[in-house]
Amino acid sequence: MRNLDKYKGVIPAFYACYDDNGEISPERVRALTEYFVDKKVRGVYVNGSSGECIYQSVEDRKVVLENVMKVKGDLTIINHIACNNTKDGMELAAHAESLKVDAIAAIPPIYFKLPEYAIAQYWNDYSSAAPNTDFIIYNIPQLAGVALSRGLYAKMRENKNVIGVKNSSMPVFDIQGFVRDGGDDYIVFNGPDEQFVSGRVIGAKAGIGGTYGAMPELFLAMDECINSGDMKSANEIQYCVNDIIAALTSGYGNMYAMIKEVLRINEGLDIGSVRKPLVALTDADKEIAKSAAKMIADAKKKFL
C-alpha cells in the first residue's frame, strides 16, 4: 500500500504574484511561499486556478514554480501543469519533475468537448513526461466543461503514477464515489472550500482550496477538529468561513484580487493584483476587503 501521508491535510492553492507592472515577481512568489511555510500548512498547490494559470505563459509558470521550490521548506508541492495543448503541458511536466516536485496535476482539456479516451490520452501523455512523479487528476466540471466519470477514473488508475483526485465538483457524493473506487491506495482532495467539513467527513483525506491562503489558520483548525472528532467546533468554524467566503466573492472585482488585498491588510503581504481579463478591485471593493479582513481577524480570535 502506498504511503500518501505527505498529501494529507490543508493545502492552500498558491496565488499569482505580480510586480507593480503586472509581471511575475520572483521576490513576491518567494515571500508568499515563506508565508505558507510559517503558517505550517501541509503543502501548496501551485499554478492552478488560484494561480491564474490560464492567463500565464509557459515561462511564467516555470518562474513561479522555480521560486516556490527555492524556499519551500517542508511543504508538499503539487504543480498544476495543464495547458490547452498537450505539447506545452508536457514541457511543464518535465520541468516540474526536474525540480523534484511531489506531484503534478491537471484539469482535462477545455473548449473542445473531447471523448473520454482522448482525455485519458491527454493525462497519460502529461504523466509520461514526468515518469517518476505522482499524478493527480483535477476534476472541476463547472469550469472545465467536462466531468470525471467513475469509468474514466478507473481507466486512469491503470497508470501507476495516478494517486488520486482533486475533486472540485459541488456534489459531495462525488467524493464518496472516488474514495470507494480508489480505496486506500488513492487519495481524494476536497475542492469546494465551503464544503471542507462535508468533504472530509465523507472520505476526503485532504483539502486544496483557493480561499485557504487568506485564512489558513481557520482551515487548519477545522482539520484538527475533524481529526479529533469535535464536529460541533468544526461546523461552527465552517459556518464562519462560509460567511467570509461570501464577503470575498461579493465585490465587483475578482475574488483573487479581494484575497490579495486581505493578505495585504492582515499580513502585510503585497503580491500585486490580478491579470486581465480578471477584474481588479474598485474603491468600493477595498472597503469590502477591509470588512472581510476584520471578519478573519475576529474569527481567529474566537476559534484559535
Side-chain angles (χ1 to χ4, degrees):
M1 190 169 69
R2 284 187 284 212
N3 185 351
L4 300 173
D5 288 349
K6 66 180 176 180
Y7 297 110
K8 295 177 181 177
V10 172
I11 301 180
F14 200 85
Y15 305 124
C17 300
Y18 301 116
D19 62 21
D20 295 342
N21 297 315
E23 299 300 329
I24 298 295
S25 168
E27 295 80 11
R28 289 177 173 179
V29 171
R30 294 194 297 271
L32 182 60
T33 308
E34 290 168 350
Y35 163 79
F36 286 126
V37 171
D38 290 343
K39 296 298 183 182
K40 301 187 186 314
V41 295
R42 169 62 74 181
V44 289
Y45 186 88
V46 183
N47 285 322
S49 306
S50 304
E52 304 172 37
C53 63
I54 63 170
Y55 301 136
Q56 294 180 358
S57 69
V58 168
E59 289 307 312
D60 283 341
R61 291 165 70 173
K62 286 182 179 180
V63 170
V64 171
L65 182 61
E66 287 164 3
N67 282 276
V68 168
M69 297 302 287
K70 285 179 180 178
V71 293
K72 75 178 191 70
D74 293 329
L75 294 175
T76 294
I77 306 299
I78 304 170
N79 186 50
H80 178 258
I81 50 87
C83 298
N84 223 25
N85 69 83
T86 300
K87 176 179 176 290
D88 287 349
M90 289 180 72
E91 181 178 342
L92 288 174
H95 176 257
E97 178 160 291
S98 75
L99 295 175
K100 299 186 178 353
V101 302
D102 295 282
I104 57 173
I107 59 171
I110 59 175
Y111 188 72
F112 289 113
K113 187 171 178 59
L114 300 180
E116 288 193 346
Y117 60 81
I119 297 170
Q121 186 65 56
Y122 168 87
W123 280 330
N124 283 325
D125 284 342
Y126 283 170
S127 182
S128 73
N132 302 303
T133 303
D134 291 344
F135 187 91
I136 297 166
I137 297 164
Y138 185 0
N139 184 44
I140 184 165
Q142 63 270 36
L143 294 182
V146 59
L148 175 67
S149 70
R150 292 171 73 176
L152 179 54
Y153 184 37
K155 179 66 178 175
M156 288 307 303
R157 292 198 306 276
E158 296 174 9
N159 179 337
K160 66 179 178 59
N161 288 346
V162 171
I163 63 162
V165 181
K166 177 187 185 293
N167 190 71
S168 292
S169 64
M170 295 309 293
V172 178
F173 65 79
D174 285 353
I175 289 175
Q176 183 182 40
F178 296 138
V179 168
R180 292 184 69 180
D181 290 350
D184 291 338
D185 259 354
Y186 296 85
I187 187 168
V188 177
F189 301 84
N190 179 78
D193 299 8
E194 302 91 334
Q195 297 175 181
F196 181 84
V197 171
S198 302
R200 287 280 283 105
V201 168
I202 211 165
K205 293 294 189 290
I208 298 172
T211 67
Y212 295 10
M215 44 186 162
E217 299 91 344
L218 297 179
F219 281 92
L220 287 166
M222 268 192 284
D223 195 58
E224 184 176 340
C225 289
I226 293 165
N227 290 336
S228 67
D230 184 1
M231 297 310 302
K232 181 176 184 296
S233 297
N235 286 330
E236 288 178 356
I237 300 170
Q238 181 78 80
Y239 299 151
C240 183
V241 162
N242 288 359
D243 288 341
I244 294 167
I245 293 173
L248 293 172
T249 56
S250 67
Y252 180 84
N254 179 263
M255 179 187 75
Y256 295 119
M258 190 77 73
I259 288 173
K260 292 175 186 184
E261 179 67 7
V262 167
L263 284 172
R264 190 189 65 77
I265 294 168
N266 278 354
E267 305 290 343
L269 186 61
D270 185 356
I271 56 173
S273 185
V274 290
R275 180 168 283 181
K276 290 181 177 180
L278 298 180
V279 180
L281 299 187
T282 64
D283 288 341
D285 288 340
K286 291 180 181 178
E287 293 303 312
I288 297 173
K290 288 180 184 177
S291 175
K294 185 177 185 303
M295 291 171 71
I296 291 169
D298 290 345
K300 287 159 64 173
K301 289 177 184 176
K302 178 178 180 180
F303 294 114
L304 304 182

